[in-house]
Amino acid sequence: MNNVVEKALELDQFGNDIPDIEQGGELTLSDLWDGTGDVPQESWSIQLTDSDWINYCFEVIEEKEDPLDNVIRIMDIELI
């Protein structure tokens, strides 16, 4: 498990579904994003506490008709 993801799981006060993803991993956008709001283009953040977030930075490597099916590669995972 990625150390940042592990720390995020410890901090999470809202019962979020925090994806256990490694930097460099490839997945579909639906594995990271729940489909609400605008389609994220470069990153997606999940609120963990009143002041802590986990941010997944990614690049789209294959666009699909449905954005949830876009294939992405995780470039960085950080706590903000």
Side-chain angles (χ1 to χ4, degrees):
M1 176 178 292
N2 180 291
N3 290 338
V4 175
V5 173
E6 188 174 353
K7 179 70 173 171
L9 289 168
E10 292 171 10
L11 290 172
D12 184 30
Q13 296 178 344
F14 303 116
N16 291 301
D17 181 21
I18 299 172
D20 181 13
I21 302 168
E22 294 290 334
Q23 187 171 334
E26 293 182 12
L27 57 149
T28 63
L29 190 54
S30 66
D31 293 324
L32 181 65
W33 175 58
D34 63 6
T36 59
D38 294 333
V39 178
Q41 300 298 316
E42 297 177 352
S43 69
W44 181 251
S45 298
I46 300 170
Q47 188 172 10
L48 305 170
T49 69
D50 289 338
S51 60
D52 296 300
W53 298 71
I54 186 170
N55 187 50
Y56 296 89
C57 299
F58 61 86
E59 67 177 349
V60 176
I61 57 175
E62 187 178 341
E63 286 196 41
K64 304 285 186 162
E65 186 173 325
D66 182 346
L68 287 169
D69 295 330
N70 287 350
V71 179
I72 62 171
R73 178 180 296 121
I74 300 299
M75 304 305 290
D76 193 22
I77 304 170
E78 59 190 356
L79 290 176
I80 52 176

Coordinates of all heavy atoms in Angstrom, one line a residue:
M1 N 0.8 -1.2 0.0 CA 0.0 0.0 0.0 C 0.9 1.2 0.0 O 1.9 1.3 0.7 CB -0.9 0.0 1.2 CG -1.8 1.3 1.3 SD -2.9 1.3 2.7 CE -4.1 0.0 2.2
N2 N 0.5 2.2 -0.8 CA 1.3 3.5 -0.8 C 1.2 4.2 0.5 O 0.2 4.2 1.2 CB 0.6 4.4 -1.9 CG 1.2 5.7 -2.1 OD1 1.2 6.5 -1.2 ND2 1.9 5.9 -3.2
N3 N 2.3 4.7 1.0 CA 2.4 5.4 2.3 C 1.4 6.5 2.4 O 0.9 6.7 3.5 CB 3.8 5.8 2.6 CG 4.8 4.7 2.8 OD1 4.4 3.6 3.1 ND2 6.1 5.0 2.6
V4 N 1.3 7.3 1.4 CA 0.3 8.4 1.4 C -1.1 7.9 1.6 O -1.9 8.5 2.4 CB 0.5 9.3 0.2 CG1 -0.5 10.5 0.2 CG2 1.9 9.9 0.1
V5 N -1.4 6.9 0.8 CA -2.8 6.3 0.9 C -3.0 5.7 2.3 O -4.1 5.9 2.9 CB -3.0 5.2 -0.1 CG1 -4.3 4.5 0.1 CG2 -2.9 5.8 -1.5
E6 N -2.0 5.1 2.9 CA -2.1 4.5 4.2 C -2.3 5.6 5.2 O -3.2 5.5 6.1 CB -0.8 3.8 4.6 CG -0.9 3.0 5.8 CD 0.4 2.2 6.1 OE1 1.2 2.0 5.2 OE2 0.5 1.6 7.2
K7 N -1.6 6.7 5.1 CA -1.8 7.9 6.0 C -3.2 8.5 5.9 O -3.9 8.8 6.8 CB -0.7 8.9 5.8 CG -0.8 10.2 6.6 CD -0.5 9.9 8.1 CE -0.5 11.2 8.9 NZ -0.3 11.0 10.3
A8 N -3.7 8.6 4.6 CA -5.0 9.1 4.3 C -6.1 8.2 5.0 O -7.1 8.7 5.5 CB -5.2 9.2 2.8
L9 N -5.9 6.9 4.9 CA -6.9 6.0 5.6 C -6.9 6.2 7.1 O -8.0 6.2 7.7 CB -6.5 4.6 5.3 CG -6.8 4.1 3.8 CD1 -6.1 2.8 3.6 CD2 -8.3 4.1 3.5
E10 N -5.8 6.5 7.7 CA -5.7 6.8 9.1 C -6.4 8.1 9.5 O -7.1 8.2 10.5 CB -4.3 6.9 9.6 CG -3.6 5.5 9.6 CD -2.1 5.7 9.8 OE1 -1.6 6.8 10.2 OE2 -1.4 4.7 9.6
L11 N -6.2 9.1 8.6 CA -6.8 10.5 8.8 C -8.3 10.6 8.5 O -9.0 11.4 9.1 CB -6.1 11.5 8.0 CG -4.7 11.9 8.3 CD1 -4.1 12.7 7.2 CD2 -4.6 12.6 9.6
D12 N -8.8 9.8 7.6 CA -10.2 9.9 7.1 C -11.2 9.9 8.2 O -11.3 8.9 9.0 CB -10.5 8.8 6.1 CG -11.8 8.9 5.5 OD1 -12.3 10.0 5.3 OD2 -12.4 7.9 5.1
Q13 N -12.0 10.9 8.3 CA -13.0 11.1 9.3 C -14.4 10.9 8.7 O -15.4 11.0 9.4 CB -12.9 12.4 10.0 CG -11.7 12.6 10.8 CD -11.6 14.0 11.4 OE1 -12.4 14.9 11.1 NE2 -10.7 14.2 12.4
F14 N -14.5 10.7 7.4 CA -15.8 10.8 6.7 C -16.2 9.4 6.1 O -17.2 9.4 5.4 CB -15.8 11.9 5.6 CG -15.5 13.2 6.1 CD1 -14.3 13.9 5.7 CD2 -16.3 13.8 7.1 CE1 -14.0 15.2 6.2 CE2 -16.0 15.1 7.6 CZ -14.9 15.8 7.2
G15 N -15.4 8.4 6.3 CA -15.7 7.1 5.7 C -15.6 7.0 4.2 O -16.4 6.3 3.5
N16 N -14.7 7.8 3.6 CA -14.5 7.8 2.2 C -14.0 6.5 1.6 O -13.4 5.7 2.4 CB -13.5 8.9 1.8 CG -14.0 10.3 2.1 OD1 -15.0 10.7 1.5 ND2 -13.2 11.0 2.9
D17 N -14.3 6.2 0.4 CA -13.7 5.1 -0.3 C -12.4 5.6 -1.0 O -12.5 6.3 -2.0 CB -14.7 4.6 -1.4 CG -14.2 3.4 -2.2 OD1 -13.3 2.7 -1.7 OD2 -14.7 3.2 -3.3
I18 N -11.3 5.4 -0.3 CA -10.0 5.9 -0.7 C -9.3 4.8 -1.6 O -9.0 3.8 -1.0 CB -9.2 6.4 0.5 CG1 -9.9 7.5 1.2 CG2 -7.8 6.8 0.0 CD1 -9.3 7.8 2.5
P19 N -9.2 5.1 -2.9 CA -8.6 4.1 -3.7 C -7.1 3.8 -3.3 O -6.3 4.7 -3.1 CB -8.6 4.7 -5.1 CG -9.6 5.8 -5.0 CD -9.6 6.3 -3.6
D20 N -6.8 2.5 -3.2 CA -5.4 2.1 -2.9 C -4.7 1.9 -4.2 O -4.7 0.9 -4.8 CB -5.4 0.8 -2.1 CG -4.0 0.3 -1.8 OD1 -3.1 1.1 -1.9 OD2 -3.9 -0.9 -1.4
I21 N -4.1 3.0 -4.7 CA -3.5 3.1 -6.0 C -2.0 3.5 -5.8 O -1.7 4.3 -4.9 CB -4.2 4.2 -6.8 CG1 -5.7 3.9 -7.0 CG2 -3.5 4.3 -8.2 CD1 -6.4 5.1 -7.5
E22 N -1.2 2.9 -6.6 CA 0.3 3.2 -6.6 C 0.6 4.2 -7.6 O 0.0 4.2 -8.7 CB 1.1 1.9 -6.8 CG 1.0 0.9 -5.7 CD 1.6 1.3 -4.4 OE1 2.6 2.1 -4.4 OE2 1.2 0.8 -3.4
Q23 N 1.6 5.0 -7.4 CA 2.0 6.0 -8.4 C 2.5 5.2 -9.6 O 3.2 4.2 -9.4 CB 3.2 6.8 -7.8 CG 3.6 7.9 -8.7 CD 4.6 8.9 -8.1 OE1 4.6 9.0 -6.8 NE2 5.4 9.5 -8.8
G24 N 2.1 5.6 -10.8 CA 2.5 4.9 -12.0 C 1.4 3.9 -12.4 O 1.5 3.4 -13.5
G25 N 0.5 3.6 -11.5 CA -0.6 2.7 -11.8 C -1.6 3.2 -12.9 O -1.8 4.4 -13.0
E26 N -2.1 2.3 -13.7 CA -3.1 2.6 -14.7 C -4.4 2.0 -14.3 O -4.5 0.9 -13.8 CB -2.7 2.1 -16.1 CG -1.4 2.8 -16.6 CD -1.0 2.3 -18.0 OE1 -1.8 1.6 -18.7 OE2 0.1 2.6 -18.4
L27 N -5.5 2.8 -14.5 CA -6.8 2.4 -14.1 C -7.8 3.3 -14.9 O -7.4 4.2 -15.7 CB -7.0 2.6 -12.6 CG -6.8 4.0 -12.1 CD1 -7.7 4.3 -10.9 CD2 -5.3 4.1 -11.6
T28 N -9.1 3.0 -14.7 CA -10.1 3.9 -15.4 C -10.4 5.0 -14.4 O -10.3 4.9 -13.2 CB -11.4 3.1 -15.8 OG1 -12.0 2.6 -14.6 CG2 -11.0 2.0 -16.7
L29 N -10.9 6.1 -15.0 CA -11.3 7.3 -14.1 C -12.4 6.9 -13.1 O -12.4 7.4 -12.0 CB -11.7 8.4 -15.0 CG -11.9 9.8 -14.4 CD1 -10.7 10.2 -13.6 CD2 -12.3 10.8 -15.4
S30 N -13.2 5.9 -13.5 CA -14.3 5.5 -12.6 C -13.7 4.9 -11.3 O -14.4 4.8 -10.3 CB -15.3 4.6 -13.2 OG -14.6 3.4 -13.6
D31 N -12.5 4.4 -11.3 CA -11.9 3.8 -10.2 C -11.5 4.8 -9.1 O -11.2 4.5 -8.0 CB -10.6 3.0 -10.5 CG -10.9 1.7 -11.4 OD1 -12.0 1.1 -11.1 OD2 -10.1 1.4 -12.3
L32 N -11.4 6.1 -9.6 CA -11.0 7.2 -8.8 C -12.1 8.2 -8.5 O -12.2 8.6 -7.4 CB -9.8 7.9 -9.5 CG -9.1 9.1 -8.8 CD1 -8.5 8.6 -7.5 CD2 -8.1 9.7 -9.7
W33 N -12.9 8.5 -9.5 CA -13.9 9.5 -9.5 C -15.3 8.9 -9.5 O -15.5 8.0 -10.3 CB -13.6 10.5 -10.7 CG -14.6 11.5 -10.9 CD1 -15.0 12.5 -10.0 CD2 -15.4 11.8 -12.1 NE1 -15.9 13.4 -10.6 CE2 -16.2 12.9 -11.8 CE3 -15.4 11.2 -13.3 CZ2 -17.0 13.5 -12.8 CZ3 -16.3 11.7 -14.3 CH2 -17.1 12.8 -14.0
D34 N -16.2 9.5 -8.7 CA -17.6 8.9 -8.7 C -18.5 9.5 -9.7 O -19.7 9.1 -9.7 CB -18.1 9.1 -7.3 CG -18.3 10.6 -6.9 OD1 -18.1 11.5 -7.7 OD2 -18.6 10.8 -5.7
G35 N -18.1 10.4 -10.6 CA -18.9 10.9 -11.6 C -19.7 12.1 -11.3 O -20.4 12.6 -12.1
T36 N -19.5 12.7 -10.1 CA -20.3 13.9 -9.7 C -19.4 15.1 -10.0 O -18.2 15.1 -9.9 CB -20.6 13.9 -8.2 OG1 -19.4 13.8 -7.4 CG2 -21.5 12.8 -7.8
G37 N -20.1 16.2 -10.5 CA -19.4 17.4 -10.8 C -18.7 17.4 -12.2 O -19.0 16.5 -13.0
D38 N -17.8 18.3 -12.4 CA -17.1 18.4 -13.6 C -16.1 17.3 -13.7 O -15.5 16.8 -12.7 CB -16.4 19.7 -13.8 CG -17.3 20.9 -13.8 OD1 -18.5 20.7 -14.3 OD2 -16.9 22.0 -13.4
V39 N -15.9 16.8 -15.0 CA -14.9 15.7 -15.2 C -13.5 16.3 -14.8 O -13.0 17.2 -15.4 CB -14.9 15.3 -16.7 CG1 -13.9 14.2 -16.9 CG2 -16.3 14.8 -17.0
P40 N -12.8 15.6 -13.9 CA -11.4 16.0 -13.6 C -10.5 15.8 -14.8 O -10.6 14.7 -15.4 CB -11.1 15.2 -12.4 CG -12.0 14.0 -12.4 CD -13.2 14.4 -13.1
Q41 N -9.6 16.7 -15.0 CA -8.7 16.6 -16.1 C -7.3 16.2 -15.7 O -6.6 15.6 -16.5 CB -8.6 17.9 -16.9 CG -10.0 18.3 -17.5 CD -10.5 17.4 -18.5 OE1 -9.8 16.9 -19.3 NE2 -11.8 17.0 -18.4
E42 N -6.8 16.6 -14.5 CA -5.4 16.4 -14.1 C -5.3 15.9 -12.7 O -4.2 15.3 -12.3 CB -4.6 17.6 -14.3 CG -4.5 18.1 -15.7 CD -3.8 19.4 -15.9 OE1 -3.4 20.0 -14.8 OE2 -3.5 19.8 -17.0
S43 N -6.3 16.0 -11.9 CA -6.3 15.6 -10.5 C -7.6 15.5 -9.9 O -8.6 16.0 -10.4 CB -5.4 16.5 -9.6 OG -6.1 17.8 -9.5
W44 N -7.7 14.7 -8.8 CA -8.9 14.5 -8.1 C -8.6 14.4 -6.6 O -7.6 13.7 -6.2 CB -9.7 13.2 -8.5 CG -10.9 13.0 -7.7 CD1 -11.2 12.1 -6.8 CD2 -12.1 13.8 -7.9 NE1 -12.5 12.2 -6.3 CE2 -13.1 13.3 -7.0 CE3 -12.5 14.9 -8.6 CZ2 -14.4 13.8 -6.8 CZ3 -13.8 15.4 -8.5 CH2 -14.7 14.8 -7.6
S45 N -9.3 15.2 -5.8 CA -9.0 15.3 -4.3 C -10.2 14.7 -3.5 O -11.3 14.9 -3.9 CB -8.7 16.7 -3.9 OG -7.6 17.2 -4.5
I46 N -9.9 14.1 -2.4 CA -10.9 13.6 -1.5 C -10.6 14.2 -0.1 O -9.5 14.1 0.4 CB -10.8 12.1 -1.4 CG1 -11.1 11.4 -2.8 CG2 -11.8 11.5 -0.4 CD1 -10.8 9.9 -2.9
Q47 N -11.7 14.8 0.5 CA -11.5 15.4 1.8 C -11.5 14.3 2.9 O -12.3 13.4 2.9 CB -12.7 16.4 2.0 CG -12.5 17.2 3.3 CD -13.6 18.3 3.5 OE1 -14.5 18.3 2.8 NE2 -13.3 19.1 4.5
L48 N -10.5 14.5 3.7 CA -10.3 13.5 4.8 C -10.7 14.0 6.1 O -11.2 13.3 7.0 CB -8.8 13.1 4.9 CG -8.2 12.6 3.6 CD1 -6.7 12.5 3.7 CD2 -8.8 11.3 3.2
T49 N -10.4 15.3 6.4 CA -10.8 16.0 7.7 C -11.2 17.4 7.3 O -11.2 17.7 6.1 CB -9.6 16.0 8.7 OG1 -8.6 16.9 8.1 CG2 -8.9 14.7 8.9
D50 N -11.4 18.2 8.2 CA -11.8 19.6 7.9 C -10.7 20.3 7.2 O -11.0 21.2 6.4 CB -12.1 20.4 9.2 CG -13.5 19.9 9.8 OD1 -14.3 19.4 9.1 OD2 -13.7 20.1 11.0
S51 N -9.4 19.9 7.4 CA -8.3 20.6 6.7 C -7.4 19.7 5.9 O -6.4 20.2 5.4 CB -7.5 21.4 7.8 OG -7.0 20.5 8.8
D52 N -7.7 18.4 5.8 CA -6.7 17.5 5.1 C -7.5 16.8 3.9 O -8.6 16.5 4.0 CB -6.3 16.4 6.1 CG -5.4 16.9 7.2 OD1 -4.4 17.5 6.9 OD2 -5.8 16.7 8.4
W53 N -6.7 16.7 2.8 CA -7.2 16.1 1.6 C -6.1 15.2 1.1 O -4.9 15.4 1.3 CB -7.5 17.2 0.6 CG -8.5 18.2 0.9 CD1 -8.4 19.2 1.9 CD2 -9.8 18.3 0.4 NE1 -9.6 19.9 1.9 CE2 -10.5 19.4 1.0 CE3 -10.5 17.6 -0.6 CZ2 -11.8 19.8 0.7 CZ3 -11.8 18.0 -1.0 CH2 -12.4 19.1 -0.3
I54 N -6.5 14.2 0.3 CA -5.6 13.4 -0.5 C -5.9 13.8 -1.9 O -7.0 13.9 -2.4 CB -5.8 11.9 -0.3 CG1 -4.7 11.1 -1.0 CG2 -7.1 11.4 -0.6 CD1 -4.6 9.6 -0.7
N55 N -4.8 14.0 -2.7 CA -4.9 14.5 -4.0 C -4.2 13.5 -4.9 O -3.0 13.2 -4.7 CB -4.3 15.9 -4.2 CG -4.5 16.4 -5.6 OD1 -5.6 16.4 -6.1 ND2 -3.5 16.9 -6.2
Y56 N -4.9 13.0 -5.9 CA -4.4 12.1 -6.9 C -4.2 12.8 -8.2 O -5.1 13.3 -8.8 CB -5.3 10.9 -7.2 CG -5.6 10.0 -6.0 CD1 -6.7 10.3 -5.2 CD2 -4.9 8.9 -5.8 CE1 -6.9 9.4 -4.1 CE2 -5.1 8.0 -4.8 CZ -6.2 8.3 -3.9 OH -6.4 7.4 -2.9
C57 N -2.9 13.0 -8.6 CA -2.6 13.7 -9.9 C -2.4 12.6 -11.0 O -1.8 11.6 -10.7 CB -1.3 14.5 -9.8 SG -1.3 15.8 -8.5
F58 N -3.0 12.9 -12.1 CA -3.0 11.8 -13.2 C -2.9 12.5 -14.5 O -3.0 13.7 -14.7 CB -4.2 11.0 -13.1 CG -5.5 11.7 -13.3 CD1 -6.0 11.9 -14.5 CD2 -6.2 12.2 -12.2 CE1 -7.2 12.6 -14.7 CE2 -7.4 12.9 -12.4 CZ -7.9 13.1 -13.6
E59 N -2.6 11.6 -15.5 CA -2.7 12.0 -16.9 C -3.6 11.0 -17.6 O -3.6 9.8 -17.3 CB -1.3 12.0 -17.6 CG -0.6 10.7 -17.7 CD 0.7 10.7 -18.5 OE1 1.0 11.7 -19.0 OE2 1.4 9.7 -18.4
V60 N -4.4 11.6 -18.5 CA -5.3 10.7 -19.3 C -4.4 10.1 -20.4 O -3.8 10.8 -21.2 CB -6.5 11.5 -19.9 CG1 -7.3 10.6 -20.8 CG2 -7.3 12.1 -18.8
I61 N -4.4 8.8 -20.5 CA -3.6 8.1 -21.5 C -4.5 7.5 -22.7 O -4.0 7.2 -23.7 CB -2.7 7.1 -21.0 CG1 -3.4 6.0 -20.1 CG2 -1.6 7.8 -20.1 CD1 -2.5 4.9 -19.7
E62 N -5.8 7.4 -22.4 CA -6.7 7.0 -23.4 C -8.1 7.5 -23.1 O -8.7 7.2 -22.1 CB -6.8 5.4 -23.5 CG -7.6 4.9 -24.6 CD -7.5 3.3 -24.7 OE1 -6.6 2.7 -24.1 OE2 -8.4 2.8 -25.3
E63 N -8.6 8.4 -24.0 CA -9.9 9.0 -23.9 C -11.0 8.1 -24.5 O -10.8 7.5 -25.6 CB -10.0 10.4 -24.5 CG -9.3 11.4 -23.7 CD -9.6 12.8 -24.1 OE1 -10.8 13.1 -24.3 OE2 -8.7 13.6 -24.1
K64 N -12.1 7.9 -23.8 CA -13.2 7.1 -24.3 C -14.4 8.0 -24.4 O -14.4 9.2 -24.0 CB -13.5 6.0 -23.2 CG -12.4 5.1 -22.9 CD -12.1 4.2 -24.0 CE -11.0 3.2 -23.6 NZ -11.0 2.0 -24.4
E65 N -15.5 7.5 -25.0 CA -16.7 8.3 -25.2 C -17.3 8.7 -23.8 O -17.7 9.8 -23.6 CB -17.7 7.4 -26.0 CG -19.0 8.2 -26.3 CD -19.9 7.5 -27.2 OE1 -19.4 6.7 -28.1 OE2 -21.1 7.6 -27.1
D66 N -17.3 7.7 -22.9 CA -17.8 8.0 -21.5 C -16.5 8.4 -20.7 O -15.7 7.5 -20.5 CB -18.5 6.8 -20.9 CG -19.0 7.0 -19.5 OD1 -18.7 8.0 -18.9 OD2 -19.8 6.2 -19.1
P67 N -16.5 9.6 -20.1 CA -15.3 10.0 -19.4 C -14.9 9.0 -18.2 O -13.8 8.9 -17.9 CB -15.6 11.4 -18.8 CG -16.7 11.9 -19.7 CD -17.4 10.7 -20.2
L68 N -15.9 8.4 -17.6 CA -15.7 7.4 -16.6 C -14.8 6.2 -17.1 O -14.2 5.6 -16.3 CB -17.0 6.9 -16.0 CG -17.7 7.9 -15.1 CD1 -19.1 7.4 -14.8 CD2 -17.0 8.2 -13.8
D69 N -14.8 6.0 -18.4 CA -14.0 4.9 -18.9 C -12.6 5.3 -19.4 O -11.9 4.5 -19.9 CB -14.8 4.3 -20.1 CG -16.1 3.6 -19.7 OD1 -16.2 3.1 -18.6 OD2 -17.0 3.6 -20.5
N70 N -12.3 6.6 -19.3 CA -11.0 7.1 -19.7 C -9.9 6.3 -18.9 O -10.1 6.1 -17.7 CB -10.8 8.6 -19.4 CG -11.6 9.4 -20.3 OD1 -12.1 9.0 -21.3 ND2 -11.6 10.7 -20.0
V71 N -8.9 5.9 -19.5 CA -7.7 5.2 -18.9 C -6.8 6.3 -18.5 O -6.4 7.2 -19.2 CB -7.1 4.2 -19.8 CG1 -5.9 3.6 -19.2 CG2 -8.1 3.2 -20.3
I72 N -6.4 6.3 -17.2 CA -5.5 7.3 -16.6 C -4.3 6.6 -16.0 O -4.3 5.4 -15.6 CB -6.2 8.2 -15.6 CG1 -6.7 7.3 -14.4 CG2 -7.3 9.0 -16.2 CD1 -7.2 8.1 -13.2
R73 N -3.2 7.4 -15.8 CA -2.0 6.9 -15.2 C -1.8 7.9 -14.0 O -1.7 9.1 -14.2 CB -0.8 6.9 -16.1 CG 0.5 6.5 -15.3 CD 1.7 6.5 -16.2 NE 1.5 5.5 -17.3 CZ 1.6 5.8 -18.6 NH1 1.7 7.0 -19.0 NH2 1.4 4.8 -19.5
I74 N -1.6 7.3 -12.8 CA -1.4 8.1 -11.6 C 0.1 8.6 -11.6 O 1.0 7.9 -11.7 CB -1.6 7.3 -10.3 CG1 -3.1 6.8 -10.3 CG2 -1.3 8.2 -9.1 CD1 -4.1 7.9 -10.3
M75 N 0.2 10.0 -11.6 CA 1.6 10.6 -11.6 C 2.1 10.9 -10.2 O 3.3 10.9 -10.0 CB 1.5 11.9 -12.5 CG 1.0 11.6 -13.9 SD 1.9 10.4 -14.8 CE 3.4 11.2 -15.1
D76 N 1.2 11.3 -9.3 CA 1.6 11.6 -8.0 C 0.4 11.5 -7.0 O -0.8 11.7 -7.4 CB 2.1 13.1 -7.9 CG 2.8 13.4 -6.7 OD1 3.3 12.5 -6.0 OD2 2.9 14.6 -6.3
I77 N 0.7 11.1 -5.8 CA -0.3 11.1 -4.7 C 0.2 11.9 -3.6 O 1.3 11.6 -3.1 CB -0.6 9.6 -4.3 CG1 -1.0 8.8 -5.5 CG2 -1.7 9.6 -3.2 CD1 -1.0 7.3 -5.2
E78 N -0.6 12.9 -3.1 CA -0.1 13.8 -2.1 C -1.2 14.1 -1.1 O -2.4 14.1 -1.4 CB 0.5 15.0 -2.7 CG -0.6 15.8 -3.5 CD 0.0 16.9 -4.3 OE1 1.2 17.2 -4.2 OE2 -0.8 17.5 -5.1
L79 N -0.8 14.4 0.2 CA -1.7 14.9 1.1 C -1.6 16.5 1.1 O -0.5 17.0 1.0 CB -1.3 14.5 2.5 CG -1.6 13.0 2.8 CD1 -1.1 12.6 4.2 CD2 -3.1 12.6 2.7
I80 N -2.7 17.1 1.0 CA -2.7 18.6 1.0 C -3.6 19.1 2.1 O -4.4 18.4 2.7 CB -3.2 19.1 -0.4 CG1 -4.5 18.5 -0.8 CG2 -2.1 18.9 -1.4 CD1 -5.0 19.1 -2.1

